[in-house]
Amino acid sequence: MKKIFLSVTAMMLLFSCQNDTTEMAPETSAVLKRGCASSDVLAAQIKADPSLALAMNKIENFTNNAMTSGRLVNGKVQIPVVVNVLYRTASENISLAQIQSQIDVLNRDFNAQNTDFSSVPTLFSTVKANVGISFVLQNVVRRATTVQSWTTNDAMKRSATGITPTTPSTVLNMWACNLGGGILGYAQFPGGASSTDGVVMDNNAFGSTGSVSAPFNLGRTATHEVGHWMNLRHIWGDANCGSDFVSDTPTHNEANYGVPAYPSLSLCTGNPVEMTMNYMDYTDDRGMYMFSNGQKSRMAALFVSGGARANFGI
Ligand code: ARG
Ligand code: ZN
Ligand code: CA
């Protein structure tokens, strides 16, 4: 029964990504910058290794138990981060200041310290979350490359062509490189292989200074990708009126782009006001500035004893 449910979920992810690709073909390059990369990679990984679906189903069950049994410890999680930089040109070899700016954005966004947190509409004031997870830059690893642009095939994580992750069981690895195909970033969800665990970022969407380019210049790509790395799904559930497995986020028809005017009404059941300012939507960086309490619970469930990222401690 559970197996059936899971494979249906996996199929939905597959289909939604295929739909995304066909829908995206006629769009402008600015819009093309937003592939459904993390979901795409997940679908491909499940196809190659169906046991990943089972592992992820276990995580899903654990998450639900941890969320309903009140066993969540209200402690602090601190995540050590190693940034792996692959560069062909001098500007791709992003500065330490640019790297630190990304860590700073993560710390603000995950601790309700972002200046735009106060712009969250009153309607969502009871669900906007201080996630309470912080990030510490532990090391930067740099490697020169002749590769002009990278894809979502994880080549940047392999020793032959890229940089292997530093102790991924206790460190969040980020790769900064020139991603092709208009991809801003992609993440691996909990449950995947440790050799590919972490978040990949396009160097022009990394941090909030240096080589970043608008409208993805506020470091929110990493906030979104680290959300995936902490088990968050897209707010529209990668399907029309799909589910993100979070009850305090409204149902959205599909991804939102740009900076939507408020309120944006969903056409899904009940016509809820969409939470377009959520980090797990697809708006421009300046259009996203909150996680919800339900999303916080999903993330926190990973770090309790027995959780998929419990080695990071509480
Ligand atoms: N393309 C990325 C993904 O699907 C997310 C885009 C991030 N959005 C942003 N405004 N920076 O994982
Ligand atoms: Zn995403
Ligand atoms: Ca929801």
Side-chain angles (χ1 to χ4, degrees):
M1 184 60 202
K2 292 226 174 84
K3 254 191 205 167
I4 291 166
F5 170 72
L6 204 275
S7 41
V8 168
T9 310
M11 287 306 288
M12 276 162 46
L13 281 170
L14 268 166
F15 279 119
S16 69
C17 285
Q18 280 163 1
N19 288 344
D20 269 24
T21 315
T22 42
E23 272 165 26
M24 273 168 47
E27 309 269 35
T28 66
S29 65
V31 174
L32 266 177
K33 262 281 179 196
R34 4 291 301 290
C36 168
S38 300
S39 318
D40 253 345
V41 171
L42 173 60
Q45 285 182 344
I46 289 175
K47 215 173 163 187
D49 174 13
S51 75
L52 173 61
L54 288 175
M56 290 187 72
N57 203 21
K58 269 193 194 148
I59 292 172
E60 207 53 49
N61 289 337
F62 182 91
T63 302
N64 289 331
N65 285 337
M67 283 166 57
T68 53
S69 66
R71 283 192 291 113
L72 284 186
V73 185
N74 195 23
K76 282 273 158 196
V77 180
Q78 210 181 55
I79 312 269
V81 181
V82 168
V83 176
N84 304 293
V85 181
L86 288 153
Y87 63 96
R88 188 179 61 89
T89 66
S91 69
E92 288 173 9
N93 193 14
I94 57 173
S95 69
L96 184 58
Q98 185 169 348
I99 292 168
Q100 188 58 54
S101 77
Q102 182 62 77
I103 305 293
D104 295 345
V105 170
L106 289 172
N107 279 319
R108 287 196 290 270
D109 288 354
F110 278 82
N111 291 279
Q113 282 165 4
N114 47 306
T115 54
D116 40 9
F117 193 62
S118 57
S119 303
V120 172
T122 316
L123 180 65
F124 301 131
S125 58
T126 58
V127 301
K128 68 179 189 180
N130 176 353
V131 175
I133 294 177
S134 59
F135 302 83
V136 186
L137 182 63
Q138 187 179 79
N139 195 22
V140 179
V141 183
R142 299 176 186 273
R143 181 175 179 180
T145 177
T146 55
V147 175
Q148 294 223 10
S149 89
W150 302 83
T151 70
T152 56
N153 70 0
D154 288 334
M156 72 291 289
K157 305 172 184 177
R158 291 192 279 267
S159 57
T161 44
I163 303 170
T164 57
T166 302
T167 51
S169 56
T170 55
V171 169
L172 164 58
N173 278 264
M174 299 182 68
W175 286 263
C177 58
N178 187 33
L179 280 176
I183 293 161
L184 295 168
Y186 71 97
Q188 182 168 291
F189 286 86
S194 62
S195 58
T196 48
D197 198 39
V199 165
V200 182
M201 299 278 306
D202 182 68
N203 43 35
N204 299 120
F206 196 102
S208 59
T209 187
S211 68
V212 288
S213 86
F216 308 114
N217 56 345
L218 300 179
R220 258 70 193 256
T221 300
T223 304
H224 175 108
E225 300 306 338
V226 172
H228 284 315
W229 185 80
M230 293 189 190
N231 213 22
L232 298 189
R233 303 302 178 103
H234 288 139
I235 196 163
W236 68 100
D238 293 308
N240 199 277
C241 304
S243 173
D244 60 356
F245 308 130
V246 173
S247 55
D248 64 5
T249 53
T251 312
H252 288 212
N253 287 88
E254 53 187 12
N256 288 292
Y257 298 96
V259 182
Y262 181 85
S264 165
L265 286 191
S266 167
L267 301 174
C268 309
T269 309
N271 298 111
V273 175
E274 294 189 336
M275 194 184 279
T276 63
M277 63 295 300
N278 192 282
Y279 294 121
M280 301 316 290
D281 205 333
Y282 260 5
T283 65
D284 289 347
D285 278 12
R286 69 183 177 89
M288 47 172 69
Y289 33 86
M290 69 170 285
F291 286 116
S292 77
N293 284 320
Q295 289 174 322
K296 171 182 177 172
S297 299
R298 275 184 74 81
M299 294 190 267
L302 298 174
F303 299 103
V304 300
S305 169
R309 298 201 185 282
N311 291 334
F312 288 81
I314 265 196

